[in-house]
Amino acid sequence: MADPVKETGFSSLSSGAAIYSVLKSLLGDGTVKPVLSESDVKLPLVTFRRTDVSSEDSKGYSNRDSVTFEFVVFSDEYGEGVRLAEKVRHALTCRITYTPDGTNNRLVMDCVRTVGGEESWQNGAFVQTLRLTYRVSVF
């Protein structure tokens, strides 16, 4: 049987697209940004970035990898920020299944570690950071 990962080039490095899809469905357009640019900041806002990936293959083309993302929730009100952070944490610690358009492959992400919850005020805004590690499988 052929390896779907090597045939399509679809890998756990595509996990950022899966995260973006979940957050966009949860929060809507304009609230989620994969990259934060200070000129674009409108609160509330959720940003994320991949901080670590380990794979059996140097290009990420293995069937089981580990990926860590850091999420930052920004809000101009404390209560709104806490609610938004909890909503994001709840949605992202569940199993995430993602099938990119035009493929028959499926990316399955299971959260195996949650670190974070640090809250602070920066420039008059509520900020909370979460770091989640996923076990990623490609089928």
Side-chain angles (χ1 to χ4, degrees):
M1 184 160 130
D3 183 352
V5 177
K6 295 216 188 260
E7 281 183 8
T8 64
F10 179 60
S11 73
S12 67
L13 298 179
S14 302
S15 58
I19 294 290
Y20 184 71
S21 175
V22 169
L23 289 173
K24 191 172 176 184
S25 293
L26 180 71
L27 305 170
D29 285 333
T31 303
V32 181
K33 297 206 182 290
V35 178
L36 176 62
S37 167
E38 292 201 19
S39 63
D40 284 343
V41 175
K42 293 179 186 161
L43 301 179
L45 177 68
V46 177
T47 64
F48 67 95
R49 67 185 177 103
R50 189 177 65 226
T51 59
D52 188 40
V53 62
S54 60
S55 175
E56 296 169 15
D57 180 302
S58 64
K59 294 182 182 176
Y61 297 127
S62 65
N63 284 329
R64 197 156 179 95
D65 299 331
S66 177
V67 179
T68 301
F69 283 91
E70 181 178 81
F71 302 89
V72 183
V73 176
F74 298 89
S75 178
D76 53 2
E77 295 179 13
Y78 179 81
E80 176 188 43
V82 170
R83 284 189 297 276
L84 182 59
E86 184 60 23
K87 190 176 183 180
V88 167
R89 187 196 61 75
H90 179 71
L92 294 174
T93 55
C94 296
R95 173 173 271 192
I96 297 171
T97 303
Y98 178 70
T99 304
D101 293 338
T103 71
N104 292 326
N105 298 317
R106 206 169 33 125
L107 184 82
V108 177
M109 299 172 60
D110 291 304
C111 186
V112 294
R113 186 167 184 227
T114 304
V115 177
E118 300 100 25
E119 297 176 3
S120 66
W121 286 96
Q122 295 178 5
N123 300 324
F126 169 85
V127 180
Q128 186 169 27
T129 303
L130 301 168
R131 185 174 281 227
L132 305 177
T133 301
Y134 296 93
R135 196 61 72 201
V136 181
S137 303
V138 179
F139 299 99

